[in-house]
Amino acid sequence: RPATSEDASEIAKLYISTDSEKIAGIFRDNLDGANQVLTNQFTEFYEGIYVLTDGEALIGAMKIHLPGRTSGKTLSLRSLISILGWRKGLRAALLLGSWDEYELQAGEAYLEFLYVDPEWQGYGGGKLLINKAIELSAQSNAEYLSLYSATYNYKARGLYEGAGFIIRRKMFSPIAKLLGANASWVKQCYFITEAP
């Protein structure tokens, strides 16, 4: 179902609990700050986020940018600095910007994140969210759905490859390397127009 502002704290907890390369790189050693930043972000900006639930429990979430629709952006630099301090806030803004303010290409839908609670991984929740992302992309007349996976996160890459995604290119971020975050990513794409 589409997320609401009331889901914000649970989405933030999920985001942090998955040991994401993004979280580890952006908010390392400051999980309280990460929780506050993400809860604030998802309270205000929840457009494009969908959640997977089991009863009342939120067990998965994804954020998708679709052609012709607005998706929520990151908090302002001022907000990041007020929560994390100058140095960590500026660092977070530099690392978050490339993911959350991604500019869609013609015919593209973009999956910014997809996380399943570690206790629920392996039960098909990731596949359900991927299928929903593909369905939403097709309904929006996107030609393909793209996402970025950490180069050495073979578990995530395998999940997407099993769903029909292919690697289109590799990306290296000198800024992320300089800031001590994961700097090596692959862009994976699912071509909707070629799907059976």
Side-chain angles (χ1 to χ4, degrees):
R1 67 171 170 81
T4 67
S5 60
E6 287 78 28
D7 297 316
S9 64
E10 290 301 311
I11 297 170
K13 285 180 197 171
L14 178 68
Y15 206 110
I16 292 166
S17 72
T18 58
D19 196 26
S20 157
E21 291 86 356
K22 293 176 191 173
I23 291 296
I26 295 167
F27 299 109
R28 67 174 180 218
D29 305 323
N30 191 353
L31 294 183
D32 290 337
N35 188 53
Q36 188 177 353
V37 166
L38 293 170
T39 297
N40 288 353
Q41 176 179 338
F42 297 137
T43 297
E44 190 171 349
F45 304 110
Y46 51 86
E47 301 89 355
I49 299 177
Y50 290 80
V51 296
L52 179 64
T53 59
D54 180 53
E56 294 296 313
L58 192 149
I59 61 170
M62 70 174 185
K63 181 175 180 184
I64 187 166
H65 300 251
L66 297 168
R69 296 193 194 167
T70 303
S71 291
K73 302 294 186 185
T74 57
L75 292 176
S76 68
L77 177 59
R78 181 185 302 167
S79 297
L80 288 169
I81 288 171
S82 72
I83 293 168
L84 302 175
W86 275 100
R87 198 181 94 224
K88 290 182 179 179
L90 182 58
R91 181 178 184 279
L94 287 170
L95 292 169
L96 275 173
S98 60
W99 303 118
D100 206 45
E101 297 175 10
Y102 184 84
E103 301 252 349
L104 294 178
Q105 302 298 312
E108 180 182 25
Y110 167 61
L111 189 59
E112 182 180 325
F113 66 75
L114 184 152
Y115 298 117
V116 174
D117 186 304
E119 292 183 15
W120 286 89
Q121 290 177 8
Y123 294 99
K127 290 179 184 175
L128 284 172
L129 288 170
I130 290 170
N131 289 338
K132 183 67 173 177
I134 292 169
E135 176 189 326
L136 291 166
S137 300
Q139 289 171 356
S140 297
N141 296 318
E143 295 171 19
Y144 66 100
L145 173 63
S146 67
L147 57 90
Y148 285 91
S149 298
T151 301
Y152 303 107
N153 187 342
Y154 298 111
K155 184 176 178 182
R157 285 178 53 184
L159 173 68
Y160 296 121
E161 286 170 10
F165 285 75
I166 58 171
I167 294 175
R168 296 301 290 173
R169 69 181 176 97
K170 296 179 180 179
M171 184 185 93
F172 179 79
S173 170
I175 292 174
K177 183 172 177 65
L178 182 67
L179 295 174
N182 179 58
S184 182
W185 300 83
V186 293
K187 183 174 186 177
Q188 294 178 269
C189 296
Y190 179 91
F191 289 89
I192 294 161
T193 53
E194 297 172 11

